[in-house]
Amino acid sequence: MRPTVHDIAAAAGVSLATVDRVLNKRAGVRKVTRDRVEQAIERIGYVRDVAAANLAKSRIYPFVFILPSGDNSFMRGLEAEVHAAMARGPLERMVISIVKVPAFDAEALVAALDEVRATAPAGVAVVAVESPEVIAAVNRLRADRIPVVTLVSDLAGSARDHFAGVDNVAAGRTAASLLGRFLGGRPGPIAVLAGSMLVRDHRERLDGFRAVMDEDFPGHTLLPVIEGQDDPVLTEKLVSEALAASPGTVGIYSLGAGNRGLIAALKQRKDAPPVCVIAHELTRHTRAALNEGLIDAVLNQDAGHEVRSAVRVLKAKADGAAVIGAQERIYIDIFLKDNLPFDEG
Amino acid sequence: MRPTVHDIAAAAGVSLATVDRVLNKRAGVRKVTRDRVEQAIERIGYVRDVAAANLAKSRIYPFVFILPSGDNSFMRGLEAEVHAAMARGPLERMVISIVKVPAFDAEALVAALDEVRATAPAGVAVVAVESPEVIAAVNRLRADRIPVVTLVSDLAGSARDHFAGVDNVAAGRTAASLLGRFLGGRPGPIAVLAGSMLVRDHRERLDGFRAVMDEDFPGHTLLPVIEGQDDPVLTEKLVSEALAASPGTVGIYSLGAGNRGLIAALKQRKDAPPVCVIAHELTRHTRAALNEGLIDAVLNQDAGHEVRSAVRVLKAKADGAAVIGAQERIYIDIFLKDNLPFDEG
DNA sequence: CTGTTAGCGCGTTCAT
DNA sequence: ATGAACGCGCTAACAG
């Protein structure tokens, strides 16, 4: 049997209450006694049974997820995953709630963070927007010893405990590598479609993409980045214009969420010479395009993984427990039409 | 507060013991009483607190992992992951042990399964070898109500509860798709290297690979499958011979674990015309070969994910709890030299 | 400062 | 067939 608090008490010659005070770092114990207890703990190799402790405390973990509102389909999928986590929360003594904030609005995000902080949750997950004020707000949470994980989009320079999302530089590098090899030496310029260069994720993807293109496939020139604001109509227009202006274009990297507009533009030039296309995020639109051969590969981040990972990390941090690094690394999934998963999307 | 057994007792007008008998489907309760209790449970929406139940029972979960012995790097990595799970087992009341069995040996596997069954574990994970006897042995475990999950290689036709591994047909399809596109029309035959056609995962990969090659890249002929038994020396010899016999070979698909031998063979023909190589499993050997350009892509199954998933599923099955399907799907990771993760391998 | 005691939600004797 | 009472490992009053 694993040693219990009783064993510590016996080994140290004190009562349970004293052991408990030492274990929970509460005041009211002489240093001598404390040392004796701590040595006993060390000696017999005690590890606390968190489940029993939670039972005794009737502890529940109130976690808050702060997500952007709006009709971005990736974010809506993310929200659905949070709802799924919410549903199975009670089984593990967790109560998850969602706070929505207008997308890309730092000011609103700061307000939400401070409001959430006032409710003293056991942990907060947030899709970050980069700004000094947001960093400060996150740091206020941390100052209150509230664990914070950034979700999908990180917040460099903040004191967040963890980032649950993919390495976007690596994603861009992968895109370049695939595109370059798929083209197999066929010369011609490459177009890049982004949502906005104001978001960190998009910038990082572009950086990674550029680096590998320059290094490994210097024969291709990159056309000026198209910023479609992730808006279908605008994107379609800009892409069509760009392709018309550079008829020799052989490849497109769509690193943002503007795939609907991109696909529409591609469909209109069915009989034109083929263009190799790499896009991000597996949605029903990109999945269909993949199957039709309009898109050649999709790089995806699994929102379900990200949410479950965020929850696990928040709980671990709340318990002061260790995190399994490898388990929490979110991989970039590469989908071709031949390895699409069956039921999602 | 969530309803407890006390609430049920009060609502049904019976004692705690009776409620417990109904909850655990034990005998000694009149049908009338039983019905009344069950209705109360339904009405107040009771869900059992598994943690508290386990505490009361001092329950521990003895799980057994049956793994192939031998010096295959992938399997050794898998074993390391099981050891990691072993180390953090006690925190969740689990005691994991490992039983090793010679690779590709159905008879030995059957003996091991029966021996393990005699110890009445709470669950068994096994890297399966396909044979009717193994299926029968697994079914004996299931007949004893012991949950079984197959790991890495599945056992079709058995009553196993779950398969913790990748979709190997899809893996083969993906390999073909990548290889075909990387070749970009350069003609020539393609060699296939396997370990043994006795394991299902290897057969499935080959099936998927063949299907896509035939359909999408009919210009390439497939050379006869080389079975290297995942043995480095034998593999190197067979591969060298095959390449010498078919000097025009443009691609190799290594679908088993014989990569060390393959890489050795590739190194000996450095100055020969380039061959596009797709292999399975990221190990330190394949990682190095990827960086050197000897291998073009590696399809990987994350052994850590598989082990953790197997453990989660076994625990859920042992508790009679639900499994989160999406969480337990093991994705096929595609690694190019540009998206290698940092610290593993 | 330290110890006693009564639960947390559930399972399990042992009586009745 | 049913119920009372104790214990699992831990925390939190309340005494002393």
Side-chain angles (χ1 to χ4, degrees):
Chain A
M1 275 317 220
R2 250 166 59 180
T4 74
V5 281
H6 291 90
D7 299 321
I8 304 176
V14 298
S15 79
L16 288 177
T18 301
V19 172
D20 184 67
R21 288 187 187 102
V22 174
L23 277 175
N24 294 296
K25 302 185 195 308
R26 258 167 288 166
V29 185
R30 267 188 312 178
K31 192 174 186 319
V32 209
T33 321
R34 174 173 304 262
D35 286 348
R36 202 142 47 91
V37 173
E38 276 168 349
Q39 279 164 30
I41 291 175
E42 189 72 24
R43 181 150 41 82
I44 66 181
Y46 168 85
V47 290
R48 164 208 252 112
D49 182 329
V50 188
N54 285 343
L55 174 59
K57 280 194 290 203
S58 310
R59 171 167 196 183
I60 53 165
Y61 301 80
F63 293 138
V64 180
F65 276 69
I66 304 179
L67 308 176
S69 54
D71 74 337
N72 174 328
S73 66
F74 175 76
M75 287 302 171
R76 290 193 50 192
L78 192 75
E79 188 179 348
E81 293 293 346
V82 177
H83 273 106
M86 237 161 114
R88 50 176 188 272
L91 284 173
E92 308 186 49
R93 318 186 81 87
M94 303 182 300
V95 176
I96 298 173
S97 52
I98 297 180
V99 169
K100 292 220 243 173
V101 164
F104 307 125
D105 185 337
E107 202 176 329
L109 182 52
V110 168
L113 285 164
D114 283 330
E115 240 170 79
V116 164
R117 182 165 72 103
T119 69
V124 176
V126 55
V127 178
V129 174
E130 283 203 313
S131 98
E133 291 75 22
V134 174
I135 293 177
V138 162
N139 290 353
R140 282 194 286 279
L141 280 164
R142 296 292 298 113
D144 285 4
R145 327 219 66 207
I146 298 173
V148 176
V149 322
T150 46
L151 191 63
V152 178
S153 191
D154 199 6
L155 190 56
S158 74
R160 94 281 188 283
D161 292 88
H162 181 81
F163 168 51
V166 300
D167 177 342
N168 284 297
V169 176
R173 296 179 61 89
T174 305
S177 195
L178 283 176
L179 188 54
R181 302 181 98 130
F182 283 179
L183 289 174
R186 189 150 46 91
I190 287 172
V192 176
L193 169 64
S196 157
M197 282 296 102
L198 294 178
V199 231
R200 182 184 188 82
D201 302 7
H202 292 196
R203 279 206 318 275
E204 288 183 341
R205 288 173 188 173
L206 180 59
D207 289 346
F209 185 78
R210 273 225 172 92
V212 171
M213 286 309 292
D214 289 352
E215 191 180 333
D216 293 351
F217 308 99
H220 297 284
T221 58
L222 294 194
L223 298 176
V225 175
I226 303 166
E227 291 190 50
Q229 308 300 326
D230 291 355
D231 177 280
V233 180
L234 177 61
T235 301
E236 178 176 358
K237 177 169 168 290
L238 294 177
V239 170
S240 294
E241 289 173 0
L243 289 178
S246 307
T249 301
V250 291
I252 300 177
Y253 176 38
S254 166
L255 56 80
N259 291 314
R260 238 151 58 208
L262 166 66
I263 293 166
L266 290 172
K267 278 187 173 158
Q268 295 194 325
R269 54 185 297 291
K270 255 280 166 77
D271 41 347
V275 177
C276 185
V277 179
I278 312 267
H280 273 268
E281 315 315 356
L282 189 65
T283 63
R284 68 169 191 282
H285 307 105
T286 53
R287 171 188 280 267
L290 213 41
N291 277 320
E292 289 174 53
L294 287 171
I295 290 182
D296 296 84
V298 168
L299 307 190
N300 185 63
Q301 54 185 320
D302 188 313
H305 282 187
E306 292 176 328
V307 169
R308 289 187 290 270
S309 175
V311 171
R312 269 197 304 269
V313 171
L314 284 178
K315 183 139 189 291
K317 294 293 179 188
D319 286 338
V323 171
I324 307 172
Q327 177 165 212
E328 311 309 346
R329 170 168 25 229
I330 310 298
Y331 283 96
I332 301 155
D333 300 314
I334 302 174
F335 291 115
L336 309 172
K337 78 178 196 310
D338 301 299
N339 68 336
L340 283 171
F342 289 115
D343 50 357
E344 324 186 280
Chain B
M1 275 316 218
R2 250 168 58 182
T4 74
V5 281
H6 291 90
D7 300 320
I8 304 176
V14 297
S15 79
L16 291 174
T18 301
V19 172
D20 183 68
R21 288 184 187 100
V22 175
L23 278 175
N24 294 296
K25 302 185 196 307
R26 256 167 293 168
V29 185
R30 270 187 311 180
K31 191 173 186 319
V32 211
T33 320
R34 174 174 304 262
D35 287 347
R36 203 143 45 91
V37 173
E38 277 168 349
Q39 278 163 29
I41 292 175
E42 190 70 24
R43 182 152 40 82
I44 67 181
Y46 169 85
V47 290
R48 167 207 248 108
D49 182 330
V50 187
N54 285 344
L55 174 60
K57 277 194 291 201
S58 309
R59 172 167 195 184
I60 53 163
Y61 301 81
F63 293 138
V64 180
F65 276 70
I66 304 181
L67 309 176
S69 54
D71 73 337
N72 170 332
S73 326
F74 174 75
M75 288 301 171
R76 292 194 49 194
L78 191 75
E79 190 180 345
E81 293 293 346
V82 177
H83 273 106
M86 238 160 113
R88 49 173 189 271
L91 284 174
E92 307 185 47
R93 319 186 80 88
M94 304 182 299
V95 176
I96 297 173
S97 53
I98 297 180
V99 169
K100 292 219 244 174
V101 165
F104 307 131
D105 184 338
E107 203 176 326
L109 182 53
V110 168
L113 285 164
D114 284 330
E115 240 170 78
V116 164
R117 181 165 72 103
T119 69
V124 175
V126 56
V127 178
V129 175
E130 282 207 314
S131 98
E133 292 76 21
V134 173
I135 292 177
V138 162
N139 289 353
R140 284 195 286 279
L141 280 164
R142 295 294 297 114
D144 285 5
R145 328 218 66 206
I146 299 174
V148 176
V149 321
T150 46
L151 191 64
V152 177
S153 191
D154 199 6
L155 191 56
S158 73
R160 94 283 187 283
D161 293 87
H162 181 82
F163 169 51
V166 300
D167 177 342
N168 285 296
V169 176
R173 296 179 62 88
T174 304
S177 195
L178 284 176
L179 188 53
R181 302 180 100 131
F182 283 179
L183 288 173
R186 190 149 48 90
I190 287 171
V192 176
L193 169 63
S196 159
M197 286 292 107
L198 289 179
V199 277
R200 185 176 189 83
D201 49 346
H202 290 195
R203 281 211 319 280
E204 288 182 341
R205 288 172 189 173
L206 180 59
D207 290 346
F209 186 77
R210 273 223 173 92
V212 170
M213 286 309 293
D214 290 352
E215 191 181 333
D216 292 351
F217 308 99
H220 298 283
T221 59
L222 294 195
L223 300 174
V225 175
I226 303 167
E227 288 190 54
Q229 305 301 325
D230 291 355
D231 177 281
V233 180
L234 177 61
T235 300
E236 177 175 358
K237 179 169 166 290
L238 294 176
V239 170
S240 294
E241 290 172 1
L243 289 178
S246 307
T249 301
V250 291
I252 300 178
Y253 175 37
S254 166
L255 57 78
N259 291 315
R260 229 143 72 204
L262 167 65
I263 292 166
L266 290 172
K267 279 188 173 157
Q268 295 195 325
R269 55 185 296 293
K270 256 282 167 77
D271 39 348
V275 178
C276 184
V277 179
I278 312 269
H280 274 267
E281 316 317 355
L282 189 65
T283 63
R284 68 168 190 281
H285 307 105
T286 53
R287 171 188 281 267
L290 212 42
N291 277 320
E292 289 174 53
L294 286 170
I295 291 182
D296 295 84
V298 168
L299 306 191
N300 185 64
Q301 52 186 322
D302 188 312
H305 282 187
E306 292 177 327
V307 169
R308 288 186 290 270
S309 175
V311 170
R312 267 196 306 266
V313 171
L314 284 178
K315 182 139 190 291
K317 295 292 178 186
D319 286 338
V323 171
I324 307 171
Q327 175 165 216
E328 310 309 345
R329 168 168 28 230
I330 310 297
Y331 283 95
I332 301 157
D333 300 314
I334 303 174
F335 291 116
L336 310 171
K337 77 176 198 308
D338 301 299
N339 68 336
L340 283 170
F342 289 114
D343 49 357
E344 323 187 282

